């Protein structure tokens, strides 16, 4: 079945359908995060002496670093789209095809997302290790809810981007991300039972037993027979470009949410 | 229009400039948070910078600056609609300040009862 208006503009909206769709979705996302932000405001205003995030040992340099990483990823995401759009796109006078530039930029975007989630899980690990849970304090409740929901969005965006990169990359990414998640959440629980360091051993074991073979398998798939995006680039380049644009719009929105989350949770 | 090849070529340098300025503004946000601007001054300053950054992301990275009025009348309507609902949502938080329980007994709302000192009427009767 052919999906209508994936490339050509729909006469009544003047846009291809996916673009209208993603903007409607982003509107609903504004309300979702808005509801949680308003919860934060009500809790904060109603509190006797609200302490800012830095008084809860939230690490400001780490948070700043993560913000910069996410902004950088937004920049590479829009460059990935521009690389697809401009036929003779190149940088630093390198003789690389513009589809390869797209993959370089998209790869950097995914990498930045991975760094962001890695750093975030490191922060979570520290909190859980010191027995700071959502139920410990009102601040932690809203901190974990907001950053957790945001991290889920980052993860979702990365999966879509990895899919656009290639099917194999997508699955390999999910494997690595689940390992990080495992280490962040279950690591500290192992810690309390067996002592320090056991978490990372458990995480590494999990990665070794399940992750690595899966990763190698999907890397093989990636090299061999992946490439729905490369196939689509040959058969229907405009459709792929539009998919990247839509994925980019979501990714920029996730960046935009973090731009508000960082000062609100870490600094104020 | 933002989607002709010629236009996008021009925009690429904008993406770079905006990316760098967003990172600089992040530094400014952190730096400014160490200066005391009074009771709610810091919140206002931080939110102004954050809004500026968000506007840069939306207008340049999400192309609204080039697209919004020319091409995306539908998106513009969606955004106005969202803005109205978002404003309503934030107005609810202001409404909660006038919460009846808080104003009548001058103690915090029910959420904070546990950590608050016992309300006066419980001693009286």
């Amino acid at each position: 079945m052919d999906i209508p208006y994936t490339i050509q503009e729909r006469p009544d909206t003047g846009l291809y359908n996916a673009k209208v769709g993603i903007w409607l979705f982003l509107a609903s996302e504004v309300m979702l995060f808005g509801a949680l932000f308003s919860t934060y405001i009500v809790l904060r205003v109603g509190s006797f002496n609200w302490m800012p995030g830095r008084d809860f040992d939230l690490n400001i340099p780490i948070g700043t670093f993560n913000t910069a990483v996410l902004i950088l990823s937004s920049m590479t995401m829009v460059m990935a789209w521009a690389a697809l759009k401009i036929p003779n796109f190149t940088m630093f006078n390198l003789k690389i095809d513009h589809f390869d530039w797209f993959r370089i930029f998209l790869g950097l975007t995914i990498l930045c997302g991975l760094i962001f989630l890695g750093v975030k899980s490191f922060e979570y690990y520290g909190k859980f290790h010191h027995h700071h849970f959502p139920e410990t304090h009102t601040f932690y409740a809203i901190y974990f809810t907001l950053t957790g929901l945001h991290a889920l969005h980052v993860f979702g965006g990365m999966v879509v981007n990895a899919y656009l990169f290639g099917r194999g990359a997508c699955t390999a990414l999910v494997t690595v991300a689940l390992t990080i998640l495992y280490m962040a959440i279950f690591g500290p629980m192992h810690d309390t039972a067996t002592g320090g360091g056991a978490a990372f051993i458990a995480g590494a074991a999990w990665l070794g037993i399940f992750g690595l073979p899966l990763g190698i398998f999907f890397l093989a798939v990636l090299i061999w027979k992946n490439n729905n995006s490369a196939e689509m680039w040959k058969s229907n380049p405009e459709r792929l470009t539009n998919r990247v644009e839509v994925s980019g719009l979501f990714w920029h929105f996730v960046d935009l949410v973090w731009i508000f989350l960082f000062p609100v949770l870490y600094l104020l | 229009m933002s989607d002709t090849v010629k236009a996008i070529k021009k925009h690429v340098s904008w993406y770079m400039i905006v990316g760098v300025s967003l990172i600089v503004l992040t530094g400014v946000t952190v730096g400014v948070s160490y200066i005391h601007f009074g009771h709610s001054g810091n919140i206002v300053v931080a939110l102004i910078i954050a809004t500026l950054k968000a506007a840069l992301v939306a207008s340049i990275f999400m192309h609204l600056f080039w697209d919004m009025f020319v091409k995306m009348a539908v998106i513009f309507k969606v955004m106005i609609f969202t803005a109205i609902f978002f404003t309503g949502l934030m107005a609810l938080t202001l409404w909660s300040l006038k919460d009846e329980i808080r104003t009548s007994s001058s103690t915090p709302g029910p959420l904070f009862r546990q950590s608050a000192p016992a309300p006066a009427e419980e001693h009286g009767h």
Side-chain angles (χ1 to χ4, degrees):
Chain A
M1 195 185 80
D2 253 7
I3 304 169
Y5 303 113
T6 51
I7 303 166
Q8 71 271 45
E9 289 160 3
R10 209 179 120 125
D12 54 350
T13 59
L15 299 165
Y16 60 91
N17 273 355
K19 198 157 173 174
V20 181
I22 194 75
W23 275 103
L24 284 172
F25 176 65
L26 292 186
S28 79
E29 291 277 88
V30 167
M31 295 313 288
L32 171 65
F33 279 101
L36 287 168
F37 268 111
S38 66
T39 309
Y40 167 86
I41 295 169
V42 170
L43 288 173
R44 178 170 183 157
V45 171
S47 160
F48 279 119
N49 50 346
W50 184 267
M51 292 196 292
R54 63 180 79 186
D55 292 345
F56 285 95
D57 295 332
L58 290 192
N59 193 321
I60 291 175
I62 286 181
T64 313
F65 171 78
N66 245 358
T67 311
V69 166
L70 214 55
I71 287 168
L72 200 67
S73 78
S74 237
M75 201 168 85
T76 52
M77 185 76 223
V78 77
M79 291 300 288
W81 172 76
L84 281 186
K85 274 280 191 181
I86 303 170
N88 54 353
F89 180 93
T90 191
M91 287 178 87
F92 317 114
N93 291 323
L94 290 172
K95 297 222 177 303
I96 302 175
D97 180 59
H98 69 128
F99 183 72
D100 292 331
W101 272 115
F102 153 73
R103 285 197 138 182
I104 290 170
F105 281 122
L106 196 68
L108 284 174
T109 310
I110 297 166
L111 184 70
C112 283
L114 209 56
I115 292 172
F116 179 89
L117 284 187
V119 170
K120 201 81 219 128
S121 70
F122 174 73
E123 283 185 286
Y124 272 23
Y125 179 89
K127 292 283 160 294
F128 293 152
H129 187 64
H130 291 104
H131 304 283
H132 298 316
F133 297 104
E135 76 264 24
T136 314
H137 194 279
T138 310
F139 177 82
Y140 282 124
I142 201 76
Y143 166 78
F144 282 116
T145 310
L146 276 167
T147 56
L149 184 69
H150 179 265
L152 271 179
H153 280 76
V154 173
F155 183 58
M158 280 165 71
V159 169
V160 176
N161 282 344
Y163 177 78
L164 292 172
F165 193 93
R167 250 169 280 170
C170 178
T171 330
L173 174 88
V174 173
T175 315
V176 173
L178 285 179
T179 309
I180 292 175
L181 193 73
Y182 174 87
M183 285 157 91
I185 295 176
F186 298 107
M189 292 183 190
H190 281 284
D191 252 16
T192 48
T194 53
F200 280 97
I201 295 167
W206 193 86
L207 179 69
I209 295 165
F210 300 104
L212 274 185
L214 266 179
I216 291 165
F217 172 72
F218 287 116
L219 204 66
V221 176
L222 172 76
I223 293 163
W224 262 352
K225 188 188 183 310
N226 144 42
N227 280 326
N228 48 334
S229 65
E231 282 160 21
M232 186 179 262
W233 180 241
K234 281 179 197 141
S235 62
N236 203 345
E238 283 180 66
R239 191 171 176 189
L240 179 72
T241 311
N242 285 350
R243 281 186 174 182
V244 172
E245 184 178 18
V246 164
S247 169
L249 285 171
F250 176 76
W251 192 257
H252 300 315
F253 175 80
V254 172
D255 182 26
L256 202 147
V257 169
W258 184 256
I259 283 172
F260 282 102
L261 275 183
F262 170 61
V264 162
L265 291 176
Y266 284 72
L267 303 174
L268 297 177
Chain B
M1 296 285 212
S2 72
D3 53 358
T4 60
V5 173
K6 205 178 158 193
I8 298 164
K9 269 186 184 169
K10 277 186 196 161
H11 299 165
V12 166
S13 50
W14 274 107
Y15 301 151
M16 300 287 184
I17 294 166
V18 166
V20 171
S21 31
L22 283 172
I23 292 174
V24 171
L25 281 173
T26 304
V28 172
T29 315
V30 176
V32 155
S33 75
Y34 288 99
I35 307 166
H36 289 286
F37 291 107
H39 180 58
S40 51
N42 284 65
I43 297 175
V44 173
V45 170
L47 286 184
I48 286 172
I49 300 175
T51 310
L52 179 68
K53 285 167 76 183
L56 280 175
V57 171
S59 56
I60 306 298
F61 287 166
M62 296 167 99
H63 304 126
L64 286 182
F65 180 73
W66 297 291
D67 265 359
M68 189 142 94
F69 301 106
V70 190
K71 228 182 146 185
M72 310 221 295
V74 178
I75 306 305
F76 194 52
K77 282 176 201 159
V78 169
M79 286 175 80
I80 289 178
F81 208 57
T82 314
I84 293 169
F85 273 93
F86 190 79
T87 313
L89 182 65
M90 289 302 149
L92 284 178
T93 64
L94 291 178
W95 202 3
S96 77
L97 294 177
K98 302 267 178 204
D99 194 300
E100 216 173 79
I101 299 167
R102 284 165 59 94
T103 47
S104 62
S105 65
S106 75
T107 52
L111 269 174
F112 302 95
R113 272 282 160 76
Q114 280 183 329
S115 58
E121 58 262 39
E122 282 176 25
H123 296 292
H125 300 285

